[in-house]
Amino acid sequence: MLRRPDPARLITAIGRSAARERDERDERTAAWLGVWLGVSFTVAFVTGLISHFMQHPPGWAVWPSRPVGLYRLTQGAHVIGGLVTIPLLLAKLWTVYPRLWQWPPVRSAGHALERALVLPLVGGALFQLVTGLFNIAYFYPFPFFFTAAHYWTAYIVFGALIVHVANEWAKVRGLRPAASRGGPGARPVGPSRRGFLATVAGACGLVGLTTVGETFTPLGGLALLAPRRPGVGPQRLPVNKTAAAAGVTRDQAWRLVVTGDVARELSLSLTELRAMPRHVVRLPITCVEGWSAEATWAGVRLRDVLHAAGVDAGARVRVESLEAGGRYRVSEVDPPHWHDELTLLALELNGAPLSLDHGYPCRLIAPDRPGVLQTKWIARLVVHTS
Ligand SMILES: Nc1nc2c(c(=O)[nH]1)N[C@H]1C(S)=C(S)[C@@H](COP(=O)(O)O)O[C@H]1N2
Ligand SMILES: [Mo]
């Protein structure tokens, strides 16, 4: 005998299946965004570590001086990739935030872990993107030192991300086209999800397009969102720290002193330095904050000066600036960089003597090296063999 359908139960059943369909669509959207975020955070983590260990060599690894533009590539990927990640993370948060108040709050041990990860994962990811953005905009409203906070938080976020991905693996596998999986879940991709993902991709593309010109010169004209642009600045090169900000003035009695573990101490006047073999190189300044710009530099090879002082082939060199204080007044040069023929004590930039803002009378320019290590207003080279 046929039972008459109960309208109330029918409505509940329809509602439940609609909700399930919406949930599934949301889950797949979230999973797709998760895959993209996984890729972008992995790239940011790896390129960030490269940048960190270049600035703080760990002893077991020395960064090579070639290829010339390698750091330009890794740091460009770090900063531009980070900016592109902002719309991606916002879209992901928008897709998943209703789950914050799901009921019951905990369904299983795995689910409990997933929920406990929300704070380090989401909080940490937001912290990285916001502090990174503020830093490249030269806006420092936070009370901590950006570099250290950004570095340590990276481990927290990446660790949380690994656990999260392991936890979500089953859902990511669900990304395979529904038809090929068969079964009751088989449903064509809805236009709204596709439209949403296309909009997110478009937003990411737009951010990329309006910032990549700060390091990829052919697109410089489009770099509307970039705080520094190649070609804009004195001698057609941006300046990060001016001489006024560094408290450096023209020093008529300037001499370059080479000291430390040397066979012969040197003290060279500008005229004596200019009398040494002059070399011209084309190299970029690659700021850790993402912008980079090529320029033509002329000056004396660092290795020529060090050889004149009788320096050990394995020695390291501390380059010291006239600048009295400041975090970037000294930098270390390891053997691969000072042996490189492209590494100059630059005296000229783009065909004219260095301007004071660019490091007059003498600055370091080396291939494949972060901008913070391209010390300006050099006064002393201190050689050490340990
Ligand atoms: N002495 C000194 N050198 C320095 C800095 C500094 O603050 N002090 N800033 C560095 C940074 S962060 C960058 S990106 C480059 C910028 O070089 P530019 O001003 O010649 O373009 O110089 C580097 N050299
Ligand atoms: Mo920089």
Side-chain angles (χ1 to χ4, degrees), residues 138 240 285-291 328 370-373:
Y138 305 92
N240 243 18
I285 288 271
T286 306
C287 181
V288 295
E289 280 147 9
W291 65 267
Y328 307 119
V372 285
L373 303 182

Side-chain angles (χ1 to χ4, degrees), residues 33-382:
L33 292 172
V35 170
W36 297 351
L37 279 165
V39 171
S40 71
F41 270 90
T42 304
V43 169
F45 186 66
V46 173
T47 52
L49 285 185
I50 289 174
S51 186
H52 177 85
F53 286 117
M54 281 175 81
Q55 292 170 65
H56 311 277
W60 43 263
V62 178
W63 188 255
S65 64
R66 304 290 179 99
V68 167
L70 183 58
Y71 182 69
R72 194 180 196 183
L73 200 72
T74 65
Q75 197 59 10
H78 187 78
V79 173
I80 312 294
L83 291 171
V84 166
T85 306
I86 292 173
L88 212 51
L89 185 67
L90 292 179
K92 171 91 177 182
L93 294 180
W94 182 81
T95 310
V96 298
Y97 84 90
R99 292 184 206 173
L100 271 181
W101 26 91
Q102 65 194 188
W103 205 260
V106 172
R107 289 196 301 270
S108 63
H111 187 231
L113 181 63
E114 194 179 311
R115 302 220 74 187
L117 276 177
V118 168
L119 183 66
L121 191 64
V122 177
L126 281 171
F127 179 87
Q128 292 301 75
L129 293 180
V130 170
T131 54
L133 181 66
F134 283 6
N135 185 67
I136 63 163
Y138 305 92
F139 176 50
Y140 310 105
F142 20 77
F144 46 80
F145 177 42
F146 164 77
T147 309
H150 199 71
Y151 173 68
W152 289 107
T153 309
Y155 288 106
I156 297 174
V157 176
F158 201 67
L161 187 65
I162 289 173
V163 183
H164 178 70
V165 168
N167 219 359
E168 298 285 302
W169 195 241
K171 292 178 199 167
V172 175
R173 279 174 52 207
L175 285 174
R176 277 179 298 162
S180 73
R181 269 188 310 163
R187 219 175 272 122
V189 171
S192 67
R193 169 152 58 98
R194 216 180 261 158
F196 179 67
L197 289 177
T199 308
V200 174
C204 295
L206 200 63
V207 170
L209 205 61
T210 49
T211 49
V212 72
E214 73 175 359
T215 179
F216 183 61
T217 320
L219 291 182
L222 292 177
L224 304 171
L225 294 182
R228 294 276 195 279
R229 280 199 261 166
V232 181
Q235 294 183 285
R236 304 192 306 284
L237 189 70
V239 168
N240 243 18
K241 182 151 216 193
T242 61
V248 174
T249 50
R250 262 174 206 274
D251 178 1
Q252 301 308 331
W254 180 86
R255 294 186 83 83
L256 176 70
V257 172
V258 187
T259 182
D261 297 328
V262 293
R264 293 170 289 283
E265 290 224 348
L266 301 179
S267 169
L268 303 167
S269 69
L270 191 52
T271 315
E272 285 168 325
L273 206 54
R274 282 189 185 132
M276 290 181 70
R278 177 178 178 274
H279 296 272
V280 180
V281 301
R282 180 113 184 121
L283 283 179
I285 288 271
T286 306
C287 181
V288 295
E289 280 147 9
W291 65 267
S292 72
E294 284 204 341
T296 302
W297 309 88
V300 176
R301 282 183 181 150
L302 178 57
R303 71 176 189 201
D304 288 353
V305 173
L306 294 177
H307 287 157
V311 166
D312 243 40
R316 303 180 77 210
V317 185
R318 192 169 76 236
V319 178
E320 296 184 356
S321 174
L322 288 171
E323 189 184 356
R327 233 177 253 283
Y328 307 119
R329 63 169 299 276
V330 300
S331 72
E332 290 281 337
V333 188
D334 283 313
H337 278 90
W338 73 254
H339 284 286
D340 197 304
E341 61 180 18
L342 293 178
T343 301
L344 298 190
L345 295 172
L347 306 171
E348 297 163 46
L349 163 60
N350 288 335
L354 281 178
S355 69
L356 191 57
D357 280 342
H358 280 302
Y360 173 90
C362 173
R363 81 165 302 162
L364 185 69
I365 184 75
D368 196 25
R369 188 169 163 90
V372 285
L373 303 182
Q374 310 277 32
T375 310
K376 301 199 273 193
W377 314 292
I378 297 177
R380 273 179 11 130
L381 305 176
V382 185

Side-chain angles (χ1 to χ4, degrees), residues 14-26:
I14 291 170
R16 242 191 244 129
S17 104
R20 218 181 301 127
E21 182 169 344
R22 200 169 53 235
D23 277 350
E24 168 162 321
R25 201 173 66 199
D26 284 355

